[in-house]
Amino acid sequence: MKIIDLTQTLSEKTPVAPVKTCFTRIVQARYEHMYRIDDINLCTGIGTHMDAPLHFDPNGCAIDEIPLEKCHGDACVLHLKDKVGDNIDYGVSAEDVLAFEKEHGKVPKGSHFLVHTGWDRFWDTDKFCPTNAEGGCNFPGILEDAAKLLFERGVTSVGIDSMGIDQGINPKFPAHVVFLKNNILLTENLANLEKVPPTGAKIWMFPLKIEGAPEAPIRAVAIL
Amino acid sequence: MKIIDLTQTLSEKTPVAPVKTCFTRIVQARYEHMYRIDDINLCTGIGTHMDAPLHFDPNGCAIDEIPLEKCHGDACVLHLKDKVGDNIDYGVSAEDVLAFEKEHGKVPKGSHFLVHTGWDRFWDTDKFCPTNAEGGCNFPGILEDAAKLLFERGVTSVGIDSMGIDQGINPKFPAHVVFLKNNILLTENLANLEKVPPTGAKIWMFPLKIEGAPEAPIRAVAIL
């Protein structure tokens, strides 16, 4: 059994979208009484994290109410790194999903669909999610037609290695809406998807159990 | 496959030791722009969490440096709920570990040794870790002789369902020292150990990947 860490490291340098709060830390005990203790402040949707339906739906399920059975299972990985290239505004289309299916068969009901754009290689750079003139930021994401197709396939979750499921340039979040209003879990800022084959891997991604939270950090892993 | 959640829920009501910072939250976006966003502030050693060697050893491994291979494996569960009863100062002894071995065989090298004191049933009450006249607080923990025996057995991690690995009344943390100075991982505030058999279960407990942190919250699960 091989475990691949799909998680970015949380630190003061972790990139965040303009609307979100950065990670900060206070080291409040430094071995004066034998131990070190750190306090941290963060947005629950920072770094590699999961969105619960509550993130976009006031009546949706919160992160601590998600059944653990929905947080692991078979992974499909759509490898688009070469096609995305350096196109920061790339939109993953239904056509991209259909091309995956042509090669690997229909996306199975209940599976976890992960999009490898290759954007995680920019994590530590200004290219990961640069702010733009409209006050937003840019990064690749999933188009509405692809979101609707994945909903039709009955996937349990959808993940991506960029800052967000929707393209940064789209302020209407159509993919978030399609997924979260239909109880499909989302994971963002995944890492190392390059190392996961298109089919055959399992994913484990149990969110931090924060009462009534719309999002939570996860330690996501793939198992080969 | 059955998954048992070994994790307490993090909230404003989560009990903490006097030296640690409580969980607080600010809801900083309430669907004004379609989404809800929460910010949280917490001690990295709050709720169900893992201690890295760095917690007690300035030269020890930090939480993000722990190999994932050490964060899952075979679990041994020492069921002491009936013996501990209401004794808040119960100390788990080498004799208790040897009694486990008499019934279930030697604790295997590399396994994860979990102590079920039953104290998780007081999580939501003042009995979980009441403060005392010395400014500390009381809860059951593991005695130094048991810690040394488990070190000899070569366990990978040790967990407990009370606030700490050491008894609350012991300000010298002998069990923490034995374990963390020897790279044995610790988990505290586990839940639901009652549902896990003495042998045969697997545990998964991947810590939040916080750069250079001494501790981190985990979503721990047992798999039957």
Side-chain angles (χ1 to χ4, degrees):
Chain A
M1 188 174 83
K2 191 178 169 188
I3 300 183
I4 296 167
D5 195 354
L6 304 182
T7 318
Q8 299 281 13
T9 303
L10 276 175
S11 78
E12 291 77 355
K13 300 187 299 291
T14 297
V16 293
V19 296
K20 288 189 170 176
T21 304
C22 292
F23 174 101
T24 53
R25 166 188 349 223
I26 294 169
V27 179
Q28 64 111 315
R30 292 181 192 269
Y31 307 106
E32 303 88 342
H33 302 286
M34 301 184 70
Y35 45 76
R36 171 172 159 182
I37 297 178
D38 287 15
D39 291 347
I40 59 174
N41 194 85
L42 68 167
C43 172
T44 62
I46 199 172
T48 305
H49 69 275
M50 182 181 284
D51 290 359
L54 182 68
H55 185 35
F56 269 72
D57 178 358
N59 300 311
C61 163
I63 207 82
D64 61 317
E65 297 167 332
I66 295 170
L68 290 179
E69 288 68 27
K70 293 184 74 173
C71 301
H72 71 102
D74 295 320
C76 296
V77 183
L78 172 57
H79 289 286
L80 286 177
K81 182 181 174 187
D82 292 343
K83 197 171 177 194
V84 172
D86 280 342
N87 182 0
I88 197 166
D89 295 324
Y90 189 89
V92 179
S93 65
E95 199 181 324
D96 289 327
V97 178
L98 292 169
F100 172 92
E101 291 193 325
K102 201 168 172 186
E103 200 173 343
H104 305 287
K106 203 167 170 179
V107 174
K109 188 167 157 51
S111 64
H112 300 267
F113 193 85
L114 310 176
V115 181
H116 168 224
T117 68
W119 221 251
D120 59 331
R121 72 188 186 279
F122 300 123
W123 177 254
D124 284 330
T125 78
D126 292 340
K127 184 145 185 174
F128 191 72
C129 57
T131 51
N132 56 39
E134 290 77 38
C137 58
N138 295 66
F139 49 81
I142 297 172
L143 298 172
E144 189 172 16
D145 67 344
K148 285 180 172 167
L149 180 58
L150 290 168
F151 163 59
E152 280 170 25
R153 293 294 185 263
V155 296
T156 296
S157 84
V158 176
I160 197 163
D161 56 2
S162 73
M163 178 64 84
I165 284 292
D166 280 284
Q167 294 164 290
I169 49 168
N170 194 328
K172 296 195 169 170
F173 306 100
H176 272 86
V177 171
V178 168
F179 291 133
L180 294 179
K181 297 272 186 185
N182 288 294
N183 279 310
I184 295 168
L185 306 174
L186 302 179
T187 50
E188 296 170 330
N189 293 324
L190 292 169
N192 294 322
L193 288 177
E194 186 152 30
K195 299 174 185 168
V196 187
T199 60
K202 305 277 183 189
I203 186 168
W204 289 76
M205 44 174 197
F206 297 122
L208 213 60
K209 196 174 179 182
I210 309 169
E211 188 176 72
E215 306 169 274
I218 51 174
R219 184 73 182 259
V221 301
I223 299 168
L224 303 187
Chain B
M1 189 174 83
K2 190 178 171 189
I3 300 183
I4 296 168
D5 195 353
L6 304 184
T7 319
Q8 297 283 10
T9 303
L10 276 176
S11 79
E12 291 78 354
K13 300 187 299 290
T14 296
V16 293
V19 295
K20 289 190 170 176
T21 304
C22 292
F23 174 102
T24 53
R25 168 189 347 225
I26 295 170
V27 180
Q28 63 111 315
R30 291 181 192 269
Y31 306 105
E32 303 87 342
H33 302 285
M34 302 184 70
Y35 46 76
R36 170 172 159 181
I37 296 178
D38 287 16
D39 291 347
I40 58 173
N41 193 85
L42 67 167
C43 172
T44 62
I46 198 174
T48 306
H49 69 276
M50 182 181 285
D51 289 359
L54 182 67
H55 186 36
F56 269 71
D57 178 358
N59 300 310
C61 164
I63 206 82
D64 60 318
E65 297 167 332
I66 296 170
L68 290 179
E69 288 66 27
K70 293 184 73 171
C71 301
H72 71 101
D74 295 320
C76 296
V77 183
L78 171 58
H79 288 287
L80 287 177
K81 182 181 174 187
D82 291 344
K83 197 170 176 194
V84 172
D86 280 342
N87 181 359
I88 197 165
D89 295 323
Y90 189 89
V92 179
S93 64
E95 197 182 326
D96 289 327
V97 177
L98 292 169
F100 171 93
E101 291 193 324
K102 200 166 174 188
E103 199 171 347
H104 304 288
K106 203 167 169 180
V107 175
K109 189 167 155 54
S111 64
H112 301 266
F113 193 84
L114 311 175
V115 180
H116 169 224
T117 69
W119 220 252
D120 59 330
R121 71 188 187 280
F122 298 122
W123 177 255
D124 285 331
T125 77
D126 292 340
K127 182 144 187 174
F128 191 71
C129 56
T131 50
N132 55 40
E134 290 76 39
C137 57
N138 295 65
F139 48 82
I142 297 172
L143 297 173
E144 188 172 17
D145 67 344
K148 286 180 173 168
L149 180 60
L150 290 168
F151 163 60
E152 281 170 26
R153 294 292 185 263
V155 296
T156 296
S157 84
V158 176
I160 197 163
D161 56 1
S162 72
M163 177 64 85
I165 285 290
D166 279 286
Q167 293 164 291
I169 47 167
N170 194 327
K172 297 195 169 171
F173 305 102
H176 273 85
V177 171
V178 168
F179 291 133
L180 294 178
K181 298 272 187 183
N182 289 293
N183 279 309
I184 295 168
L185 306 175
L186 303 178
T187 50
E188 296 171 329
N189 292 325
L190 292 168
N192 293 322
L193 288 177
E194 185 151 30
K195 299 174 185 169
V196 187
T199 61
K202 304 277 184 189
I203 185 167
W204 288 75
M205 42 173 198
F206 297 123
L208 214 58
K209 198 175 179 181
I210 309 169
E211 189 175 72
E215 308 170 273
I218 51 173
R219 185 72 182 259
V221 302
I223 298 168
L224 303 187

